[in-house]
């Protein structure tokens, strides 16, 4: 095909979440088709997210550059390949992917905050990447520097995983800059992979899924049908016994990479959490085009298995560090929680696609929980240190790191925060969708009328959200505003977690200052009317402090409660409570107050909880509880003031006593 004729730098398609969603058998009607509004079309003014995007654009990306270019051999590996002098590979076989994810994060950041020096650095890297590509399109520094004859022999070795991140970076960088050098590299590599496997009918199971969703981004940008076919082909390879390499031959564990059952027959979550999230995101992308209900049926069953039985209150997933993933249902330990940052990022990806396919707000409820808690916790308030795993309790032995040997998480959280605009709005025929409450502005095309829309809010600290539209002429459409599950007495779908008591506070929705009638459909308040310049909808969400209990099957949380306010999960940390959080008890009817506070440079709303502290009697022979005002802070802010103890789930009764030295 003549790609040059079909693609110009003026075309913008979101690199983070883009696909044309066609009518599918599992959709009730065409009105459910939702397309995300790309982050490039959203101007974020939010007091919560904009400073974080600034930190990513400066501190986080600077850390990524230093670690990638100076403190590790990631960039040097590309230079060595180009020199062709037989030099040794540095680092781990999947390190190329970190370079690509950093470029993707840079691309998003450049759209939000142009920076000539940062763009120049990315161009330098891209030149080195292009110089390392082989004549047949293959690109992987590990095999090129070790033994090119061994390429494509071990399905676990992340060759296609690295290729996928290259493709995502290429699409993102082209969309932001109009520069196609990296895109051309990605096209040659994708064509090499297609010719090597699908066209040649050579079985191949990806040991670490990622290429499927990346190929769909390539497909939507280039309109090249072979990339859609290749993504579908990769998914169809799973569950047929084709696996070769360490996972299959040494570990004997195809479940680890979701290869024990064909994708369309999968009903439960297994194995490595990040691999699973990328797989189901790719399956949703393919299903949106192929109209294959097999993918949707499988994803619905697996999603329920994740959310109903295997998800932390923070939206984190993957309880075990042993397999970086799932174990038994309801096995959700707190101190030993793995809950990898990348897995929470994957939950955001997957749930966004599920919402777009179904029009159901429950998926955005889960997305929001993962975004504000499980994922955001992976990034420090200063933006330059990170968590790989995100436990829900600590004895004081957890600290954020400047980098990791396996460094997927820093660049992953960087690209998510930089592209958060992708998750705020959606559009479908005759409908506007407001999914997240982030102060921002964008515009929608309704028929021949442009409808500028502005959201003003101090969410998540306050519950008031104003949505103002200013069309030049009247326009008829349905405004769909998500009513968060947590505001409607349902913290999560499926009752894995429930509020300890019902909240009688009402959700208010006003139009131009007066109550307005609306329908409720799949978790959205739908206001269908003819709109005119200056119309303003105000949503008032209750922001009480709520106590949460887990199902009795979750043994780790038995006789414990957690605190949530708005979308934020809270924890108690030693830094606010005289260094001690393991001697607390929650009385039967605790009272709560809130206060504005600050953790480092982060303004927060803290909770003042009237609890009990268990102390030894003066003679040292007994213990007794005493009233104590305890400070709780948003979970994402913990471990920013040094090491210290922390708990999310607080006991309501004593089960055992340990006498310390």
């Amino acid at each position: 095909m003549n790609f040059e004729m079909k693609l110009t730098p003026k075309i913008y398609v979101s690199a983070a979440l883009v696909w044309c969603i066609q009518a599918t058998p599992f959709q009730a009607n065409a009105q459910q088709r939702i397309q995300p509004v790309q982050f490039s079309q959203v101007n974020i003014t939010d007091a919560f997210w904009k400073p974080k995007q600034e930190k990513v654009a400066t501190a986080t990306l600077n850390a990524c550059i230093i670690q990638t270019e100076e403190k590790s051999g990631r960039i040097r590996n590309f230079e060595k390949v180009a020199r062709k002098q037989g030099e040794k590979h540095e680092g781990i076989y999947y390190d190329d992917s970190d370079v690509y994810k950093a470029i993707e994060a840079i691309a998003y950041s450049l759209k939000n905050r142009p920076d000539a020096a940062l763009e120049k650095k990315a161009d330098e890297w891209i030149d080195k990447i292009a110089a390392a590509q082989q004549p047949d399109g293959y690109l992987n520094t590990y095999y090129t520097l070790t033994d090119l004859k061994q390429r494509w022999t071990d399905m676990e070795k992340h060759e296609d995983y690295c290729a996928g991140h290259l493709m995502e970076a290429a699409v993102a960088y082209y969309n932001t800059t109009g520069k196609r050098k990296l895109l051309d590299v990605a096209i040659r590599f994708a064509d090499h992979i297609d010719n090597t496997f699908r066209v040649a009918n050579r079985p191949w199971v990806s040991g670490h899924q990622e290429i499927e969703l990346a190929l769909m981004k390539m497909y939507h940008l280039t309109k090249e049908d072979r990339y859609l076919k290749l993504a579908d082909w990769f998914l169809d390879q799973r569950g047929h016994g084709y696996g070769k390499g360490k996972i299959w031959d040494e570990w004997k564990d195809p479940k680890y990479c979701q290869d024990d059952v064909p994708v369309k027959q999968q009903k439960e979550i297994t194995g490595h959490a990040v691999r699973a999230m990328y797989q189901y995101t790719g399956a949703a992308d393919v299903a949106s085009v192929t109209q294959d209900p097999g993918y949707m049926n499988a994803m619905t069953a697996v999603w329920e298995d994740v959310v109903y039985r295997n998800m932390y209150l923070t939206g984190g997933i993957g309880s075990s560090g042993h397999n970086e993933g799932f174990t038994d249902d309801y096995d959700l330990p707190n101190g030993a929680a793995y809950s990898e940052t990348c897995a929470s990022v994957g939950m955001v990806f997957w749930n966004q696609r599920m919402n777009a396919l179904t029009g159901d707000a429950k998926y955005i409820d889960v997305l929001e929980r993962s975004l504000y808690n499980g994922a955001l916790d992976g990034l420090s308030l200063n933006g330059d240190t990170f968590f790989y795993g995100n436990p829900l309790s600590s004895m004081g032995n957890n600290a954020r790191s400047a980098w990791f040997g396996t460094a997927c998480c820093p660049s992953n959280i960087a690209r998510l925060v930089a592209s958060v605009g992708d998750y705020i709005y959606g559009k479908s025929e005759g409908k506007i969708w407001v999914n997240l409450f982030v102060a921002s502005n964008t515009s929608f095309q309704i028929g021949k009328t442009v409808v500028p829309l502005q959201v003003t809010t101090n969410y998540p600290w306050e519950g008031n959200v104003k949505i103002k539209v200013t069309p030049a002429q009247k326009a008829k459409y349905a405004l769909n505003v998500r009513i968060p599950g947590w505001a409607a007495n349902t913290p999560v779908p499926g009752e894995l977690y429930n509020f300890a008591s019902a909240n009688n506070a009402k959700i208010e929705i006003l139009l131009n200052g007066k109550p307005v009638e609306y329908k409720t459909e799949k978790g959205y308040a739908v206001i269908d009317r003819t709109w005119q310049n200056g119309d303003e909808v105000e949503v008032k969400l209750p922001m009480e402090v709520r106590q949460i209990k887990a199902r009795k099957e979750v043994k780790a949380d038995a006789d414990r409660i957690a605190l949530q306010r708005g979308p934020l999960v809270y924890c108690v940390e030693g830094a606010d409570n005289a260094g001690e959080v393991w001697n607390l008890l929650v009385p039967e009817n605790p009272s709560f107050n809130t206060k504005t506070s600050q953790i480092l440079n982060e303004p927060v709303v803290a909770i003042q909880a009237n609890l009990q502290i268990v102390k030894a009697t003066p003679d040292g022979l007994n213990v007794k509880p005493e009233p104590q005002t305890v400070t709780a802070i948003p979970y994402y802010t913990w471990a920013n003031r040094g090491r210290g103890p922390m708990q999310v789930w607080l006991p309501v009764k004593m089960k055992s006593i340990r006498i310390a030295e």
Side-chain angles (χ1 to χ4, degrees):
M1 63 175 280
N2 187 343
F3 183 69
E4 292 284 358
M5 295 296 292
K6 291 195 174 186
L7 185 65
T8 71
K10 294 181 180 179
I11 295 176
Y12 185 88
V13 185
S14 169
L17 294 167
V18 168
W19 7 279
C20 300
I21 298 177
Q22 302 177 4
T24 60
F26 44 78
Q27 290 179 313
N29 55 62
Q31 297 302 315
Q32 290 181 346
R33 297 176 300 178
I34 304 174
Q35 290 177 288
V37 175
Q38 295 95 16
F39 82 98
S40 66
Q41 299 169 352
V42 177
N43 177 41
I44 292 179
T45 58
D46 195 70
F48 185 85
W49 285 107
K50 190 173 179 62
K52 292 172 178 56
Q53 291 187 328
E54 289 289 319
K55 285 190 176 69
V56 165
T58 52
T60 309
L61 288 178
N62 185 59
C64 288
I65 290 170
I66 291 173
Q67 293 288 345
T68 302
E69 191 173 57
E70 299 175 16
K71 295 189 176 182
S72 76
R74 287 169 171 82
I75 293 296
R76 289 194 293 272
N77 284 331
F78 289 97
E79 295 170 346
K80 290 176 180 179
V81 171
R83 284 196 291 264
K84 300 179 181 178
Q85 295 179 2
E87 298 168 273
K88 290 185 177 181
H89 179 271
E90 297 181 58
I92 308 171
Y93 53 85
Y94 44 69
D95 278 354
D96 289 1
S97 64
D98 298 327
V99 178
Y100 304 143
K101 278 189 289 184
I103 293 174
E104 185 184 355
I106 289 171
Y108 297 143
S109 185
L110 288 174
K111 201 73 181 182
N112 300 327
R113 185 180 183 275
D115 184 326
L118 190 60
E119 184 173 346
K120 182 180 179 182
K121 177 57 65 179
D123 288 340
E124 291 176 4
W125 286 8
I126 290 168
D127 287 342
K128 293 173 182 179
I129 292 166
Q133 188 166 35
Q134 301 304 295
D136 64 356
Y138 182 81
L139 178 54
N140 183 283
T141 66
Y142 173 75
Y143 276 110
T144 308
L145 291 174
T146 54
D147 184 358
L148 204 52
K149 294 179 182 178
Q150 294 300 312
R151 66 179 183 174
W152 303 126
T153 57
D154 186 337
M155 297 174 182
E156 194 277 328
K157 278 292 193 286
H158 289 57
E159 288 163 280
D160 46 24
Y161 170 82
C162 291
H165 280 301
L166 167 62
M167 294 172 200
E168 288 197 87
V171 171
Y173 201 69
Y174 174 82
N175 286 335
T176 292
T177 65
K179 298 174 182 177
R180 57 173 299 130
K181 187 168 191 174
L182 191 62
L183 185 59
D184 287 336
V185 170
I187 288 169
R188 287 193 293 272
F189 198 4
D191 291 349
H192 163 83
I193 293 171
D194 191 39
N195 291 330
T196 302
F197 297 108
R198 184 184 67 89
V199 174
N201 196 28
R202 173 184 169 185
W204 185 267
V205 179
S206 175
H208 194 312
Q209 301 90 309
E210 149 68 18
I211 193 170
E212 303 89 347
L213 69 91
L215 283 165
M216 290 306 295
K217 292 182 180 181
M218 293 280 286
Y219 164 74
H220 286 294
L221 183 63
T222 67
K223 312 303 181 189
E224 177 57 73
D225 191 57
R226 71 187 300 184
Y227 302 144
L228 167 63
K229 291 178 179 177
L230 183 56
D232 193 24
W233 183 89
F234 268 115
L235 289 165
D236 195 48
Q237 291 290 293
R238 316 193 78 77
H240 301 293
Y242 298 149
K244 301 292 181 185
K246 181 175 287 190
I247 292 173
W248 301 268
D249 302 331
E250 293 184 27
W251 299 352
K252 310 295 184 184
D253 189 14
K255 281 189 174 184
Y256 177 74
C257 62
Q258 300 77 42
D259 184 40
D260 58 319
V261 177
V263 173
K264 295 174 189 177
Q265 297 175 26
Q266 293 178 9
K267 293 181 173 61
E268 60 183 18
I269 195 69
T270 65
H272 189 279
V274 180
R275 286 166 163 86
M277 292 304 97
Y278 288 174
Q279 170 177 303
Y280 296 121
T281 299
D285 287 346
V286 171
S288 70
V289 177
T290 64
Q291 308 181 35
D292 189 332
Y295 286 133
M296 191 60 186
N297 293 336
M299 284 186 295
T300 299
V302 175
W303 183 88
E304 290 180 355
D305 193 40
V306 173
V307 175
Y308 293 6
R309 293 175 283 277
N310 292 283
M311 183 178 74
Y312 282 101
L313 182 62
T314 57
I317 57 170
S319 61
S320 172
H322 174 71
N323 65 349
E324 297 186 292
F326 301 95
T327 55
D328 298 325
D329 287 347
Y330 306 110
D331 178 29
L332 295 165
N334 292 310
Y338 197 66
S339 187
E340 184 181 340
T341 297
C342 287
S344 292
V345 171
M347 280 286 276
V348 172
F349 294 166
W350 183 28
N351 279 280
Q352 201 281 342
R353 266 74 161 187
M354 294 295 284
N355 168 261
L357 285 168
T358 63
D360 199 320
K362 68 183 180 182
Y363 298 110
I364 302 296
D365 286 346
V366 175
L367 182 158
E368 181 182 64
R369 182 169 294 275
S370 297
L371 175 64
Y372 279 87
N373 301 288
L376 193 55
D377 185 54
L379 181 66
S380 70
L381 298 180
N382 287 331
D384 58 359
T385 56
F386 311 92
F387 268 147
Y388 198 103
N390 297 272
L392 278 73
S393 71
S394 174
M395 297 298 292
N397 55 338
N398 298 90
R400 296 177 183 272
S401 300
W403 205 248
F404 309 96
T406 296
C408 49
C409 294
S411 52
N412 224 351
I413 188 62
R415 66 175 181 152
L416 177 66
V417 171
S419 63
V420 77
D422 268 317
Y423 308 95
I424 301 171
Y425 304 106
K427 56 186 177 182
S428 60
E429 186 175 351
K431 293 186 178 183
I432 290 173
W433 305 76
V434 179
N435 283 324
L436 297 181
F437 306 119
V438 177
S440 56
N441 53 76
T442 188
S443 63
F444 295 85
Q445 185 77 36
I446 304 294
K448 296 182 179 180
T449 303
V450 176
V451 180
L453 182 147
Q454 181 178 37
V455 170
T456 306
T457 185
N458 193 31
Y459 193 87
W461 311 121
E462 298 175 9
N464 282 20
V465 182
K466 293 182 178 180
I467 305 167
K468 186 174 184 178
V469 294
T470 53
Q473 58 192 39
K474 293 181 179 180
K476 188 180 189 311
Y477 58 87
L479 177 66
N480 293 253
V481 181
R482 181 177 67 94
I483 301 300
W486 59 260
N489 284 313
T490 306
V492 297
E495 300 185 346
L496 180 58
Y497 305 104
N498 289 284
F499 290 123
S501 59
N503 181 13
N504 296 321
K506 301 296 184 182
I507 299 165
E508 292 185 67
I509 300 181
L510 310 176
L511 175 62
N512 299 327
K514 298 179 181 179
V516 62
E517 290 188 10
Y518 60 89
K519 296 186 298 182
T520 301
E521 295 180 359
K522 292 189 175 182
Y524 289 92
V526 183
I527 308 172
D528 195 347
R529 66 189 299 272
T530 299
W531 301 81
Q532 59 187 2
N533 194 320
D535 279 344
E536 184 175 76
V537 171
E538 184 173 6
V539 181
K540 296 182 178 181
L541 302 171
M543 297 294 282
E544 281 78 8
V545 177
R546 308 293 302 277
Q547 297 181 70
I548 292 180
K549 293 182 177 180
R551 285 181 66 110
K552 67 179 187 305
E553 291 91 341
V554 185
K555 302 302 183 185
D557 301 333
D559 296 317
R560 291 176 178 267
I561 64 97
L563 302 179
Q564 180 172 328
R565 181 177 183 272
L568 298 178
V569 174
Y570 278 69
C571 67
V572 292
E573 188 178 23
D576 304 298
N577 298 287
E580 181 59 75
V581 303
W582 286 91
N583 58 355
L584 300 175
L585 276 178
V586 181
E588 187 172 350
N589 294 300
S591 61
F592 304 100
N593 294 297
T594 58
K595 69 171 186 176
T596 56
S597 186
Q598 191 160 309
I599 300 174
L600 301 185
N601 58 354
E602 178 86 352
V604 302
V605 172
I607 295 173
Q608 298 291 102
N610 293 316
L611 307 182
Q612 291 181 325
I613 185 169
V614 179
K615 288 186 174 181
T617 55
D619 61 9
L621 299 178
N622 289 289
V623 296
K624 65 175 182 177
E626 295 180 356
Q628 179 81 19
T629 299
V630 174
T631 298
I633 59 172
Y635 171 75
Y636 80 88
T637 66
W638 83 280
N640 278 279
R641 296 168 292 182
R643 295 177 185 267
M646 180 276 292
Q647 285 204 88
V648 168
W649 289 95
L650 306 175
V652 299
K653 61 175 66 172
M654 288 182 281
K655 291 185 176 181
S656 63
I657 294 176
R658 182 179 63 186
I659 299 175
E661 294 180 359

